[in-house]
Amino acid sequence: MTVTTTESVADQFWTRCRSCSSLLYRKRLRRNLDVCPECGDHQRLAAPERIRQLVDPGSFAELPAEVVPVDPIEFADSVPYPQRLAAARADTGLAEAVLCGEARIDGHPLVVAVMDFRFLGGSLGTVVGELITRAAERALDRGLPLLLVTASGGARMQEGVLSLMQMATVSQAIAALGEAGLLTISLVTDPTFGGVAASFATNTDLVVVESGARMGFAGPRVIHQTIRKPLPDGFQTAEFLLRHGQADMVVERWGLRARLRSLLAAAHAAHTARAAHPAPSARAAHPAPTAHAAHAHAGAAGGGETTTAAAGAVPSVLIRDPGRLAEPDGWQAVQAARHLDRPTTLDYLATAFDGFTELHGDRLGADCPAIVAGLARLGDQHLVVVGHQKGHHTKDLLARNFGMPAPAGYRKAQRVMRLAVRLGLPIVTLIDTPGAYPGIEAEEQGQAAAIADSILAMTGLPVPVVAVVTGEGGSGGALALGVADRVLMLQNAVYSVISPEGCAAILWNDPTATPRAARALRVTAPDLLRLGVVDGVVPEPPQGAHTDPLAAADLLRRAVVETLTPLLRVPADALVRQRRLRFRRFGAGGRPVLPPVGPR
């Protein structure tokens, strides 16, 4: 008869938190998803438990493993490598350091590959690489998203350079998914280092980091031994990764399933839309009619209101005839556009759009807070939204750099737009900036090139793009988000080649000439409608958007839906061609005649 000791019984029911050393009741810890209720430390999860927490009950079907033990270089340290493999299999009950299969999250099908740190530190060996590659290939064959849950110390040293090659093998499988327009998500858990961090943990479409996770190429001990300097507090933590542009979001364990559900819903909607309209070339011969079909200077011609709704059933919310607009004083318009209570991009995302999921980082080292980007919905239509973000109060304005993006902001915008293209999602940009940030650091980081790259990239986006100037449209910093199929502006917004202050300083050498410069620059909605720079004006509540933000949000939503809907039926090649023609027309010929400017 086996005698159970008091100590072993206690061990069955109690455990200590690795972080705060609190004594925890195991059942309570499990109910809390293995997150310490005292300090919030996220305990490491075995792959089967991670799958249980993330996917729909009973939906996981493991892919055939057919694991053949390998020892390619006959490695041995204190014990031969085959013995280490055998011990790991016995301890974990797994064949290898990853568990792959098909599953569902809230009904959305996907392929998952979940690494298990218990198995030789989750190291990436040839079998692990093969299994993850097969999972990616299954996702490609089935047209499904791929979720990779990483937990690894890096490449498996016992398999030598063949382990290193797995970084490339898995990466090219992920690249094939991207080329097919299938979403790939990396869920980074603690710890993720070395060759896994430097390949499939970070080269997916989206990088979601679990709270408490750490990730880096070299581990802290290796870095310290190399540079012989103390490391900063919080180094390589989830918050560090978010701050330095390496992650799209940091999510507590309890929120992971819901966040993944929203991301997969967007991917599923895009996939369904592509299935309904499989090949642009098949539709190119008979493109659907679009608003402003030929872009023949509709504003300059003073055309009347035309609805894009079927048979005129829904009146157009947009104003396309400048004669219907009051003629505001240029300087007063600038002041109205700069009003601190005017709704910001985040305000509109919370009111005019549905279900916004923000994505962070340029993947090169920074996350510019002056640009907000992510996935959202307008009813059933999933889309990507990118916009400038200012703020309402001094603290917000300082934190967002007054809506003036650094190069990292435009690179983040481009990254998220590329994701929109891969998923086949339309893009809406919300423009509200005095201009790109003109600081020393911005110049050192290539501000001009970042703006140029954004403009160039937008000219060729094969998805519908609608831009809306919601406040200040300042110079190239605004145009970097403004190369669109349709450009709208709110009634009290402004759009200008330079700020009135800058114009007054350069041309008049007199700051008191700022109001005069604002009038001369023709920055108001009626002027820009006549010039054909904007295709329509979104009306505002009588006293301005800041007096009734909810009404302003409703008008913006209706305008975007009205403008975007016909564009969804236009083939990709026609979109690009028409967009380029739209901007080609701004040459020297055929310029509209503007009425005299107001008092000088």
Side-chain angles (χ1 to χ4, degrees):
M1 182 177 69
T2 303
V3 177
T4 304
T5 65
T6 304
E7 183 179 5
S8 64
V9 170
D11 289 343
Q12 291 176 18
F13 293 98
W14 298 89
T15 186
R16 285 197 181 275
C17 173
R18 63 177 183 174
S19 179
C20 69
S21 298
S22 295
L23 191 62
L24 304 174
Y25 187 47
R26 285 186 183 274
K27 288 187 176 180
R28 182 189 180 198
L29 183 62
R30 181 53 53 92
R31 286 195 300 269
N32 207 41
L33 302 182
D34 289 284
V35 177
C36 176
E38 303 299 329
C39 71
D41 180 68
H42 286 55
Q43 310 283 308
R44 291 174 185 165
L45 295 179
E49 177 60 22
R50 177 71 69 178
I51 290 170
R52 188 188 69 80
Q53 290 187 10
L54 290 179
V55 309
D56 296 349
S59 69
F60 180 75
E62 185 176 358
L63 298 180
E66 301 174 3
V67 173
V68 177
V70 295
D71 185 13
I73 61 175
E74 297 182 347
F75 186 92
D77 44 24
S78 58
V79 297
Y81 176 46
Q83 291 185 24
R84 290 197 182 277
L85 284 173
R89 292 188 177 107
D91 290 343
T92 63
L94 300 178
E96 254 295 351
V98 67
L99 190 55
C100 304
E102 291 190 38
R104 292 178 177 270
I105 296 180
D106 198 34
H108 298 297
L110 75 160
V111 175
V112 296
V114 182
M115 304 188 77
D116 197 314
F117 193 77
R118 300 175 303 158
F119 197 110
L120 297 182
S123 52
L124 174 63
T126 54
V127 173
V128 173
E130 175 67 18
L131 292 175
I132 297 176
T133 299
R134 290 183 190 179
E137 291 170 347
R138 173 64 70 94
L140 184 63
D141 290 342
R142 298 288 302 274
L144 298 177
L146 175 67
L147 170 65
L148 302 172
V149 183
T150 63
S152 174
R156 189 170 295 178
M157 295 176 288
Q158 294 91 338
E159 296 184 18
V161 73
L162 291 178
S163 177
L164 186 68
M165 294 301 104
Q166 303 312 307
M167 297 167 62
T169 300
V170 177
S171 293
Q172 68 183 18
I174 291 174
L177 289 168
E179 292 164 1
L182 296 171
L183 181 68
T184 57
I185 304 173
S186 168
L187 171 53
V188 175
T189 72
D190 188 62
T192 297
F193 284 97
V196 172
S199 57
F200 55 88
T202 52
N203 63 16
T204 52
D205 292 320
L206 301 174
V207 177
V208 180
V209 181
E210 183 178 60
S211 182
R214 296 166 298 150
M215 181 175 72
F217 180 55
R221 183 172 60 182
V222 173
I223 295 173
H224 180 68
Q225 290 174 347
T226 302
I227 66 175
R228 302 293 181 183
K229 293 181 180 178
L231 302 179
D233 292 338
F235 186 65
Q236 295 180 323
T237 62
E239 292 71 24
F240 174 94
L241 297 169
L242 187 66
R243 189 167 61 251
H244 290 277
Q246 307 303 308
D248 285 289
M249 61 193 78
V250 174
V251 184
E252 297 282 348
R253 185 170 291 170
W254 59 265
L256 283 173
R257 181 179 163 86
R259 190 58 57 89
L260 291 172
R261 179 175 63 235
S262 66
L263 297 174
L264 291 170
H268 176 75
H271 180 74
T272 301
R274 285 198 302 272
H277 307 286
S281 59
R283 297 178 286 133
H286 303 285
T290 66
H292 323 298
H295 271 301
H297 289 291
E305 306 304 300
T306 56
T307 180
T308 58
V314 179
S316 173
V317 69
L318 289 170
I319 299 172
R320 298 188 181 89
D321 178 2
R324 291 189 54 210
L325 293 168
E327 298 289 343
D329 174 77
W331 178 235
Q332 291 177 353
V334 170
Q335 292 176 307
R338 293 174 176 174
H339 198 290
L340 287 178
D341 291 333
R342 195 169 179 82
T344 67
T345 290
L346 285 176
D347 292 331
Y348 284 123
L349 283 167
T351 52
F353 296 83
D354 306 308
F356 178 63
T357 300
E358 186 172 359
L359 307 178
H360 291 270
D362 68 346
R363 295 292 187 274
L364 296 176
D367 179 41
C368 174
I371 291 284
V372 171
L375 302 168
R377 288 184 294 106
L378 283 172
D380 294 331
Q381 177 61 56
H382 290 262
L383 68 161
V384 159
V385 180
V386 180
H388 301 94
Q389 176 63 23
K390 285 183 177 179
H392 297 295
H393 309 290
T394 301
K395 183 179 179 180
D396 293 337
L397 290 165
L398 290 171
R400 300 284 181 175
N401 202 29
F402 296 86
M404 295 185 292
Y410 294 114
R411 290 170 183 145
K412 173 169 64 173
Q414 291 173 57
R415 184 179 70 81
V416 178
M417 289 182 190
R418 288 194 297 270
L419 174 62
V421 171
R422 284 198 292 276
L423 297 180
L425 296 176
I427 298 168
V428 173
T429 66
L430 303 179
I431 297 168
D432 185 15
T433 180
Y437 180 58
I440 295 173
E441 300 89 347
E443 294 300 315
E444 291 174 340
Q445 296 161 10
Q447 183 71 287
I451 294 172
D453 287 346
S454 186
I455 292 172
L456 181 62
M458 292 191 75
T459 65
L461 292 172
V463 294
V465 185
V466 174
V468 187
V469 183
T470 62
E472 238 181 323
S475 189
L479 183 61
L481 299 186
V483 183
D485 301 300
R486 302 290 182 268
V487 180
L488 312 177
M489 70 184 297
L490 268 63
Q491 186 172 355
N492 293 318
V494 295
Y495 201 0
S496 178
V497 65
I498 190 174
S499 70
E501 293 87 348
C503 181
I506 294 171
L507 297 185
W508 277 273
N509 196 26
D510 179 5
T512 65
T514 296
R516 182 180 179 185
R519 300 180 188 109
L521 286 167
R522 307 284 192 157
V523 300
T524 67
D527 281 332
L528 293 166
L529 199 55
R530 292 187 189 96
L531 288 167
V533 171
V534 299
D535 303 292
V537 174
V538 184
E540 297 187 27
Q543 302 303 314
H546 64 283
T547 63
D548 193 345
L550 290 179
D554 180 65
L555 289 164
L556 176 66
R557 181 187 180 97
R558 291 166 55 195
V560 171
V561 170
E562 173 187 331
T563 306
L564 182 61
T565 300
L567 293 173
L568 296 171
R569 299 191 294 270
V570 181
D573 54 352
L575 280 172
V576 173
R577 183 173 64 252
Q578 292 175 12
R579 187 183 309 136
R580 290 175 175 173
L581 286 172
R582 182 190 186 281
F583 284 87
R584 177 64 183 89
R585 78 178 193 225
F586 296 124
R591 290 171 294 183
V593 177
L594 297 180
V597 75
R600 297 178 183 271

